[in-house]
Every structure is written in structure tokens, then in C-alpha cells.
């Protein structure tokens, strides 16, 4: 028996979210404040055995606004409006499962329907009573000072104090149609909470992000965990280790009793005198009575060895303390799930373990180790002493790119915020279906994406914005160019370097990321080259005429060899009556901004993605269209390079930079020719640009300018 889907409505930022669960482990990821903790919280509050109180501030903002409109502004209220918080649990069982506990939930006698739906509602009892009581409350406190503002403030105060009076928890079972795989909410039954016995169906535990471990001088939190673990394994009387412990305790008791008789001889003699105890009557003794429970609780200390020395637990770093704490807690919780120390209790049908942010205080290597071994650790704890296994579903929330990089791609659930009141959940494995088509039956593009992201760029899942760039040159210079934009363009409040931006090398193949970028739904800047080419006709060895394409200056070309440009602008390019290059160089900034509609990228004013490539540059009144980054940089910074020629060791044929025609008015070699013939090492070129940079007090890189197309893209990214 397992949970396959959980839906939540109207809980904090989770206005309506649906999360598919894996059978064993689900990794929930996303940026800060995207609802990961809220998702765990609503489950704990509505499902856990002990339960937790729902507060007024747990309601979604939109629901609170509707409530305010009715009570304060006297707007109409109808039953179709949200009534409160709703939790849907899609539970799947098999023919092998014992369904006695979920029997009250069965709505369909179809033997092929193995799905039951439990809906838990925290909803209004009577909205009219709420309105009446608040009006009375307002009349008493307002003292004639009536205003809507005052009323709104008092309403929030009233609800924070008394909301529990007007809401109740209702349990329902909803009909599930196996053919359409949808719910029929009109067909339901209200279930008596006591008859349902939630604790027999679900056992839910959580390891919070705020764990009790620290490395303060007097902290012994891990030692206390050892006792908690012992409490849940001590019941196995057949365990040879526990039998050995009992034997050793008995032996120690006998030896200590002999010592105690000598130690307490005098005081016991005085007690006998005060009690009037005579010889051969009841004898008072102090004996040793070591018990396993007290011994472990009060006399175990977790230490760690350093060479020949035992050091206390608080000498460990927080990372190790955190990791050890999680392992102890997992082992203890698994023992609690198994209920082997409780004769009158059986394991629940579905056991749920939440682990929040296991990466806290741990370095990347420890994070890798944790996620690599967590499934094995959980598996080892599922087996009971009688050989049977319990069902445990684990949900881990994380902000760690290192954990993501080592996690199974299929296990990942991506949370993202689409508005102030709405969070959505997406399965990363759904991308596999998105990428597969007739042209790629083996889905090589998806396999590449999966491997590329997890191995190299897992941090994109936690980013607010992304830059896809060409290669090493851009990678080295982009941080400097972002800083330069921030220093010189100060009209925008939020600098680029203060924004959460991930940078990913994609070359001219950023089209491979297309559907992934649409999936993430975050602002993306693609920086690529226009890559002008011209036709070249040549006979092959058989005498047949073949057409190939050779790189050339933009002014001499007609097409681009850049597959990304041809992909993102494929629709307008197909209708363009002139050349590809003419189309590309005539686009203004707004025409390079795209949005994802109907499975493709189209021009849009408020788009998610911008494709930046070389555009017109003007130096000394002369127009020029560069082909590559090096070409673009050299054209607008030729004087800078000439001034530092001796320092640019990556350059050859340096005389080409200064050589002019006989008229001495124009340079002999174009920027395209310089980029092609003078750069010995592309990675070294940006490094030497940085080495020769100087500051003027405003910009740290004042003696060179950013190529216009990159600046255009960075300004768009910063401002959107």
C-alpha cells in the first residue's frame, strides 16, 4: 500500500498543488520560500497521530481575502468558494495488501480499481456565525471610530485569536474513476474519525531542518539519541547482543554490591540504630541494580577517536554531528515504524518519513555520501524480526545541488512559485516524454540533458535566472562584465551580482535545453555567436558538385551555422524573403525576447527568454557587424589592445593590429581577420583582458567596453 499523489489546497502559498510520490524516495527541490516546508507542515498537521494546530496564518492569502471581503466588506459568499484547507491522499493498494484499515474508504466494488481517495478538510462550520461574532467584537472595540482600515486590522486580530472556533476537520472518501483517472467530487461519503483510525493507516515522522545538534561545550544531544535508539530495540529478548549486556550487568551487580557493603557500612550501622533494628532481624543493604535502560540513558557518551585519544562529541564539526544525528534518528524512527517493542501495536499500512535539508552544515562530499547511501539505510530498516517488511515512503527536501547531482533523476520533484499565492510541483521525469519525438526515438537529447545537468549544473534548480553562454572566453569574462554593468548602469536597484543567477556553458547548442528552460519557467539569457557562413562549391572525387559552408565576415555571408539561432527563430526565418543573416542583424532588442507557447518559442513582449548575438557596432562613425565574441570585442576595443600589446602574450602577428592602408586612414586588417589570425589561445585572451584592466573609481574595468550585444542581454536580464 502506498501514496501515489498528494494534493493540497489553500495552505499558505500552496493554493493548489499536486505532488506525485515515488514508491521509496522523493526528493523535493526548489528555491527558498517555494513551499517545501509548507508541504511537510500541512501533512504533519492533518495526518500525524498527535496532530498540530491549524492557525489563521496557515490559510492561503486568496482564501483570507475572500473571507475578509464577506465579513468586512459585506460581499456575497457562496458554497462554490473555497471553504478552507483541503488535503487529498491518493492511496493505491494491491491484492496482497490487508485493506481492513482502509475499508471505510472503499467507494467502488470494481476489482480492477485499486485506488482510494481520502480527503481531509479543515473548513468553515458556519460563516454566518463568524460574521455575527466579529460584528459584535468590532462594535465593542471600535468605540465609534469606524473605518474599513480599522475593521480589517481588527478582523486579522480576531481571526488569529479565535479562528479555531469556526473551523472543523472533516474526513471524506471520494469516488475515483479508473477509466478517466479523475475524481467525482459529487460522489463522496463523510467518515467518522474514530471509525477510520488514521493512526492504523498512516504513521508519519519528521526529521526537522532545525535539529538539536550543536557543538557547544555542554551539548550531549547525540548521546541522548543513543538512548532513544536503545528504547526501540531493547524489546528483542532473543538478540544475543542484548543478552550479553544483561549477563555483563549481572556480573557487575555482584561485584559492585561487595564494594557497596564496605562503602556504606558506617552509615547503614547508624540507620539500624535509629530504626531500632536488632540482630537477626531485617537487614538493610545497598546493592547494585544496574538496569539496561538507565545504564544506556545515563551512562553512555558518544565519543570519537583521534589517534590514541577519546574526544567528546562536541569536538566534532557541525557537519559530522548533523550526519550522525540524522542516521541515529532514521534508525530510531524505522524501529518506531516497525513497532517491535510494542506488543499491542502493529505497523501502520503506510509509513511516511520527512527529512528536511539533510545538507545542513555538511560539506559537498558528505552530501554525496548521504544521498548515495540513504536508500540502503532505509531499506535495511524496513525488515521486521519475523522477516516481513513494512512500507516506508521518504520525502527529502533540499537546497543542495550536490544532493541533486547524485539523486536519481526520476525521484526529483521541482517546486516553483508562479505567483505570490501559488506554487506548482513538476516531475523531472516528465521531461522524458516532452523530449521524445520521431526524430529522436532513443531520446538521446533527454539522456544528454539528464547527465549534463546532474553532473555539472544541478544548481540551476535553485536559481532565479540562467545565462547560457558559448565557451571559456565568456565564462571567464562574464562576472567582470556583470560587475561592469552594475557599476556603470546604476538606475536599477538590484544589481546583477546580487541576483541568484546560474551560468551554464551551452555553446551553439542551447536548443537542447529548450524544453528544460520552458519546464523551469525562469528568466534565461542565451549568449551565442551569429556564426556567419558563405557557400563554397567544390567538386568531390567523383566530379560531382558539392556545396559546403565556410566561416566568413557577416557582410560577406548569407546564412548562419548556429543551430540555436536557427531553432529559436525558426518560424520567422521560414517566412523571411531575404537572407538568414539579414533577418538576424535587423532584429531589435524586443524582437529577441521569446515566450513559450504551444510547445514552441515565439516572440513576446514579456518573454521568459532572450537570445543575444552579435549586433551592429559603431566606432568612429563606422558600422560593423562582428561574427564572434573575439571579433566583437576587438572591434570596439582595438585601441585598448594596441595600448597593451606587449602584455597580450596570447596574441601573435601583433603588427596586424596597428597596420594601416597607404592612406593611413583605415586599418589593413578587419576585426574578423584579427580574431582569426592573431589569437593563439582563446582561454588566455579573456584572462589578459582582465590583467590589463584598470579602475577609474567608478568601474573596475574602465579602459574597455562590453560588446553591445552582451550588454544588451545583461541589461535585459537585470531589469526583468
Amino acid at each position: 500500500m502506498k501514496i501515489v499523489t498528494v494534493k493540497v489546497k489553500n495552505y499558505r502559498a500552496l493554493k493548489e498543488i499536486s505532488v506525485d510520490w515515488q514508491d521509496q524516495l522523493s526528493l523535493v527541490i526548489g528555491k527558498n520560500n517555494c513551499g517545501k516546508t509548507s508541504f511537510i507542515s500541512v501533512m504533519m498537521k492533518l495526518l500525524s497521530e498527535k496532530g498540530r494546530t491549524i492557525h489563521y496564518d496557515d490559510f492561503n492569502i486568496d482564501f483570507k481575502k475572500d473571507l475578509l471581503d464577506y465579513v468586512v466588506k459585506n460581499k456575497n459568499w457562496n458554497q462554490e468558494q473555497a471553504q478552507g484547507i483541503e488535503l487529498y491522499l491518493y492511496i493505491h493498494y494491491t491484492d496482497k495488501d490487508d485493506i481492513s484499515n482502509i475499508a471505510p474508504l472503499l467507494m467502488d466494488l470494481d476489482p480492477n480499481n485499486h485506488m482510494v481517495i481520502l480527503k481531509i478538510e479543515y473548513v468553515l462550520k458556519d460563516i454566518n456565525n463568524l460574521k455575527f461574532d466579529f460584528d459584535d467584537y468590532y462594535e465593542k472595540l471600535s468605540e465609534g471610530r469606524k473605518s474599513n482600515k480599522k475593521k480589517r486590522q481588527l478582523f486579522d486580530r480576531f481571526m488569529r485569536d479565535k479562528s479555531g472556533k469556526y473551523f472543523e476537520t472533516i474526513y471524506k472518501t471520494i469516488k475515483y474513476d479508473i477509466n478517466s483517472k479523475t475524481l467525482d467530487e459529487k460522489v463522496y461519503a463523510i467518515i467518522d474519525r474514530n471509525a477510520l483510525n488514521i493512526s492504523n493507516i498512516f504513521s508519519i515522522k519528521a526529521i526537522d531542518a532545525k535539529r538539536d545538534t550543536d557543538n557547544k561545550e555542554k551539548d550531549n544531544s547525540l548521546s541522548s539519541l543513543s538512548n532513544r535508539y536503545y528504547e526501540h530495540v531493547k524489546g528483542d529478548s532473543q538478540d544475543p547482543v542484548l543478552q550479553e549486556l544483561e549477563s555483563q550487568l549481572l556480573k557487575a551487580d555482584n561485584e559492585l554490591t561487595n564494594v557497596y557493603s564496605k562503602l556504606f557500612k558506617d552509615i547503614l550501622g547508624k540507620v539500624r540504630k535509629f530504626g531500632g533494628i536488632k540482630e537477626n532481624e531485617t537487614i538493610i543493604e545497598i546493592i547494585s541494580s544496574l538496569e539496561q535502560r538507565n545504564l544506556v540513558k545515563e551512562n553512555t557518551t558518544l565519543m570519537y577517536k583521534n589517534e590514541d585519544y577519546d574526544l567528546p562529541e562536541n569536538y566534532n564539526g557541525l557537519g559530522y554531528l548533523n550526519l550522525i544525528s540524522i542516521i541515529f534518528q532514521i534508525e530510531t524512527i524505522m524501529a518506531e515504524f516497525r513497532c517491535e517493542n510494542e506488543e499491542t501495536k502493529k505497523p501502520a499500512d503506510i509509513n511516511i518519513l520527512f527529512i528536511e535539508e539533510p545538507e545542513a552544515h555538511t560539506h559537498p562530499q558528505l552530501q554525496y555520501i548521504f544521498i548515495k547511501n540513504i536508500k540502503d539505510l532505509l531499506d535495511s530498516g524496513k525488515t521486521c524480526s519475523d522477516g516481513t517488511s513494512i512500507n516506508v515512503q521518504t520525502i527529502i527536501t533540499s537546497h543542495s545541488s550536490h544532493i541533486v547531482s547524485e539523486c536519481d533523476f526520476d525521484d526529483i520533484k521541482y517546486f516553483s512559485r508562479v505567483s505570490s499565492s501559488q506554487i506548482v510541483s513538476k516531475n523531472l521525469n516528465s521531461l522524458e516524454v516532452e523530449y521524445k519525438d520521431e526524430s529522436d526515438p532513443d531520446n538521446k537529447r533527454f539522456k544528454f540533458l539528464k547527465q549534463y545537468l546532474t553532473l555539472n549544473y544541478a544548481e540551476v534548480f535553485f536559481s532565479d535566472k540562467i545565462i547560457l553562454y558559448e565557451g571559456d572566453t565568456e565564462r571567464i569574462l562574464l562576472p567582470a562584465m556583470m560587475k561592469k554593468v552594475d557599476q556603470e548602469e546604476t538606475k536599477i536597484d538590484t544589481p546583477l551580482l546580487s541576483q541568484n543567477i546560474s551560468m551554464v556553458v551551452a555553446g551553439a547548442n542551447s536548443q537542447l535545453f529548450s524544453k528544460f528552460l520552458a519546464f523551469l519557467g525562469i528568466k534565461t539569457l542565451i549568449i551565442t555567436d551569429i556564426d556567419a557562413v558563405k557557400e563554397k562549391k567544390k567538386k568531390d572525387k567523383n566530379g560531382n558538385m558539392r556545396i559546403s559552408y565556410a566561416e566568413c565576415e557577416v557582410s560577406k555571408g548569407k546564412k548562419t551555422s548556429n543551430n540555436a539561432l536557427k531553432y529559436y527563430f525558426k518560424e520567422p526565418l521560414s517566412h523571411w524573403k531575404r537572407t538568414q543573416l539579414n533577418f538576424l542583424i535587423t532584429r531589435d532588442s524586443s524582437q529577441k525576447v521569446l515566450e513559450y507557447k504551444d510547445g514552441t518559442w515565439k516572440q513576446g513582449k514579456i518573454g521568459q527568454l532572450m537570445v543575444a548575438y552579435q549586433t551592429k557596432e559603431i566606432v568612429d562613425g563606422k558600422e560593423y557587424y562582428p561574427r564572434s565574441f573575439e571579433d566583437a570585442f576587438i572591434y570596439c576595443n582595438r585601441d585598448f589592445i594596441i595600448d597593451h600589446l606587449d602584455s597580450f602574450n596570447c596574441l601573435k602577428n601583433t603588427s596586424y593590429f596597428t597596420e594601416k592602408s597607404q592612406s593611413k586612414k583605415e586599418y589593413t586588417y578587419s576585426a574578423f581577420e584579427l580574431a582569426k589570425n592573431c589569437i593563439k589561445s582563446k582561454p588566455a585572451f579573456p584572462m589578459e583582458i582582465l590583467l590589463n584592466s584598470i579602475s577609474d573609481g567608478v568601474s573596475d574595468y574602465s579602459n574597455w567596453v562590453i560588446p553591445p550585444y552582451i550588454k544588451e542581454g545583461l541589461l535585459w536580464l537585470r531589469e526583468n
Side-chain angles (χ1 to χ4, degrees), residues 352-585:
I352 303 167
L353 172 60
F354 292 115
I355 304 175
E356 286 194 86
E357 301 176 18
E359 67 270 14
H361 308 299
T362 56
H363 60 75
Q365 191 60 35
L366 279 182
Q367 296 173 35
Y368 291 136
I369 292 170
F370 172 81
I371 202 64
K372 278 182 178 179
N373 293 283
I374 183 64
K375 285 188 177 181
D376 289 339
L377 181 64
L378 292 168
D379 276 340
S380 66
K382 291 180 181 180
T383 305
C384 302
S385 58
D386 61 2
T388 60
S389 286
I390 59 171
N391 180 54
V392 180
Q393 289 180 275
T394 302
I395 312 296
I396 298 176
T397 67
S398 178
H399 298 108
S400 169
S401 60
H402 307 292
I403 285 178
V404 173
S405 68
E406 290 295 330
C407 187
D408 190 326
F409 211 68
D410 293 341
D411 294 338
I412 299 175
K413 317 296 171 184
Y414 177 68
F415 277 31
S416 64
R417 183 181 291 273
V418 295
S419 71
S420 60
S421 61
Q422 180 63 9
I423 306 289
V424 297
S425 171
K426 302 176 183 179
N427 300 325
L428 254 66
N429 58 10
S430 67
L431 279 170
E432 186 170 5
V433 179
E434 291 287 325
Y435 269 88
K436 197 166 186 176
D437 58 36
E438 294 180 357
S439 65
D440 185 18
D442 296 329
N443 221 347
K444 293 179 180 179
R445 291 174 299 175
F446 174 74
K447 292 175 182 176
F448 158 79
L449 177 77
K450 179 178 176 179
Q451 186 177 39
Y452 192 72
L453 289 175
T454 53
L455 290 179
N456 302 291
Y457 296 104
E459 73 270 11
V460 299
F461 295 108
F462 309 100
S463 303
D464 294 318
K465 298 177 180 180
I466 303 173
I467 298 176
L468 301 182
Y469 59 90
E470 275 278 333
D472 287 336
T473 303
E474 289 88 345
R475 175 181 59 84
I476 296 168
L477 276 181
L478 266 172
M481 290 189 287
M482 292 164 72
K483 187 175 184 180
K484 185 174 173 68
V485 167
D486 288 339
Q487 292 175 333
E488 297 175 355
E489 307 288 338
T490 58
K491 295 180 180 179
I492 303 299
D493 292 335
T494 308
L496 278 166
L497 293 179
S498 297
Q499 299 183 35
N500 182 17
I501 301 173
S502 285
M503 296 194 295
V504 178
V505 61
N509 295 302
S510 56
Q511 73 278 7
L512 297 175
F513 297 84
S514 166
K515 293 180 180 180
F516 176 69
L517 296 175
F519 174 90
L520 288 181
I522 60 179
K523 296 290 181 182
T524 301
L525 171 65
I526 297 174
I527 299 175
T528 192
D529 293 336
I530 199 168
D531 289 336
V533 292
K534 61 182 179 181
E535 288 186 1
K536 192 175 179 181
K537 295 181 179 179
K538 185 179 179 181
K539 288 184 179 180
D540 61 19
K541 61 182 180 180
N542 298 319
N544 297 318
M545 190 64 70
R546 301 290 185 187
I547 298 176
S548 61
Y549 293 93
E551 65 179 55
C552 64
E553 295 185 54
V554 173
S555 61
K556 298 178 181 178
K558 293 183 178 181
K559 294 187 175 183
T560 175
S561 62
N562 189 303
N563 290 323
L565 293 179
K566 288 187 281 189
Y567 174 84
Y568 287 107
F569 297 105
K570 59 185 174 184
E571 208 170 89
L573 275 176
S574 63
H575 301 290
W576 191 248
K577 296 180 180 179
R578 302 172 71 180
T579 67
Q580 289 181 349
L581 288 181
N582 185 261
F583 169 85
L584 292 170
I585 66 175

Side-chain angles (χ1 to χ4, degrees), residues 43-205:
M43 296 280 290
M44 295 296 295
K45 288 191 174 187
L46 293 180
L47 264 187
S48 67
E49 190 173 349
K50 297 180 180 178
R52 300 179 185 180
T53 304
I54 297 284
H55 301 284
Y56 175 63
D57 288 322
D58 287 329
F59 291 104
N60 182 261
I61 291 174
D62 289 344
F63 174 77
K64 291 163 74 172
K65 287 179 180 177
D66 287 342
L67 207 58
L68 182 74
D69 285 344
Y70 175 79
V71 176
V72 175
K73 299 180 181 179
N74 295 312
K75 293 187 177 180
N76 293 328
W77 183 273
N78 59 66
Q79 291 300 312
E80 294 182 359
Q81 287 179 281
Q83 300 297 302
I85 296 167
E86 299 175 353
L87 175 67
Y88 297 77
L89 300 163
Y90 290 60
I91 303 168
H92 185 270
Y93 63 92
T94 69
D95 293 332
K96 296 180 180 180
D97 290 321
D98 181 355
I99 63 171
S100 57
N101 291 324
I102 62 168
L105 302 177
L106 298 176
M107 295 279 290
D108 193 341
L109 298 179
D110 186 343
N112 296 316
N113 189 354
H114 288 175
M115 190 80 75
V116 296
I117 310 299
L118 171 63
K119 182 183 181 185
I120 305 175
E121 302 175 341
Y122 187 74
V123 292
L124 281 163
K125 295 179 190 176
D126 188 343
I127 192 167
N128 293 319
N129 273 345
L130 168 60
K131 182 173 175 56
F132 177 83
D133 290 350
F134 174 71
D135 287 341
D136 183 59
Y137 171 85
Y138 175 66
E139 288 294 329
K140 291 177 179 178
L141 292 182
S142 62
E143 299 177 353
R145 300 186 300 273
K146 298 187 178 179
S147 71
N148 283 334
K149 185 177 180 181
K150 178 72 174 177
K151 202 169 186 177
R152 288 194 299 271
Q153 291 172 343
L154 286 176
F155 179 72
D156 283 343
R157 183 171 180 174
F158 175 82
M159 290 301 294
R160 286 191 176 99
D161 186 44
K162 302 183 183 295
S163 64
K165 178 182 176 183
Y166 305 99
F167 288 83
E168 62 181 336
T169 303
I170 298 174
Y171 297 82
K172 292 180 178 179
T173 178
I174 311 292
K175 180 176 175 58
Y176 180 80
D177 189 313
I178 59 171
N179 295 316
S180 63
K181 297 183 179 179
T182 58
L183 303 186
D184 185 353
E185 298 240 27
K186 295 180 180 179
V187 183
Y188 67 89
I190 296 177
I191 309 297
D192 185 301
R193 172 67 172 83
N194 296 320
L196 185 60
N197 204 340
I198 287 284
S199 62
N200 287 343
I201 303 174
F202 305 103
S203 177
I204 182 167
K205 311 279 185 187

